Amino acid sequence: MITVKNTINASIAKVWDFWTLPEHIVNWNIPSSDWHNPYAENDLKVGGKFKYTMGTKDGSVVFDFEGTYTKVENHALLEYKLLDNRIGTVRFETDGNTVQIAETFEPEKENPKAMQEQFLKGVIANFKEYVERFNRNV
């Protein structure tokens, strides 16, 4: 399993909305500036499906990250199963006006584990920057 954590300086309501609403997901769900996420759908309920199309801007890599939610606890926990049956969780823990996000997932076998961990670190760091930038502008 791979786990990546980060602390976001924002309220749990804002962190939850930005993590789960497609109009925000397409703005932060990338590991670096040479990637983009042109499409996101998210049916946030047990049995609901999510699908995020991610890829490099030059088109050399494109894939869909998709699965089904197996557990949803508002403002606290998301558990999911991917199409290839790997599992993952995202935990949200509040401490005042900060939220620690911890995502754990089962790595796939095609790419090195270290590469998958770096990819997720980039995504979560980008999420933190996106939320905190928006938080400053409100």
Side-chain angles (χ1 to χ4, degrees):
M1 296 298 271
I2 294 173
T3 300
V4 173
K5 298 177 181 180
N6 209 328
T7 300
I8 315 302
N9 296 305
S11 69
I12 184 60
K14 182 163 287 188
V15 168
W16 183 263
D17 284 350
F18 279 34
W19 189 269
T20 61
L21 294 173
E23 61 265 30
H24 290 294
I25 294 167
V26 297
N27 292 311
W28 62 260
N29 192 31
I30 56 172
S32 59
S33 63
D34 56 337
W35 281 72
H36 67 154
N37 184 162
Y39 178 79
E41 66 182 68
N42 196 24
D43 186 11
L44 192 61
K45 65 183 179 193
V46 173
K49 299 190 183 309
F50 61 88
K51 179 178 179 180
Y52 314 138
T53 299
M54 303 170 74
T56 53
K57 289 179 180 175
D58 69 6
S60 61
V61 177
V62 177
F63 66 93
D64 289 328
F65 183 78
E66 61 185 305
T68 303
Y69 290 108
T70 56
K71 190 171 191 176
V72 175
E73 294 178 8
N74 195 38
H75 293 181
L77 176 71
L78 298 170
E79 292 182 356
Y80 57 85
K81 183 181 227 180
L82 299 174
L83 287 182
D84 63 5
N85 291 319
R86 292 180 297 129
I87 59 169
T89 62
V90 185
R91 295 185 187 284
F92 302 80
E93 295 182 10
T94 60
D95 183 14
N97 203 36
T98 65
V99 178
Q100 183 184 71
I101 291 179
E103 183 162 6
T104 300
F105 72 96
E106 208 175 326
E108 42 93 354
K109 297 184 183 350
E110 295 173 14
N111 293 295
K113 187 176 177 180
M115 185 180 94
Q116 294 175 68
E117 183 175 3
Q118 279 306 116
F119 189 94
L120 181 58
K121 281 182 180 178
V123 168
I124 291 182
N126 201 48
F127 175 75
K128 174 183 173 66
E129 190 277 327
Y130 177 75
V131 174
E132 291 179 357
R133 179 173 23 110
F134 188 91
N135 222 25
R136 284 190 301 267
N137 294 334
V138 173

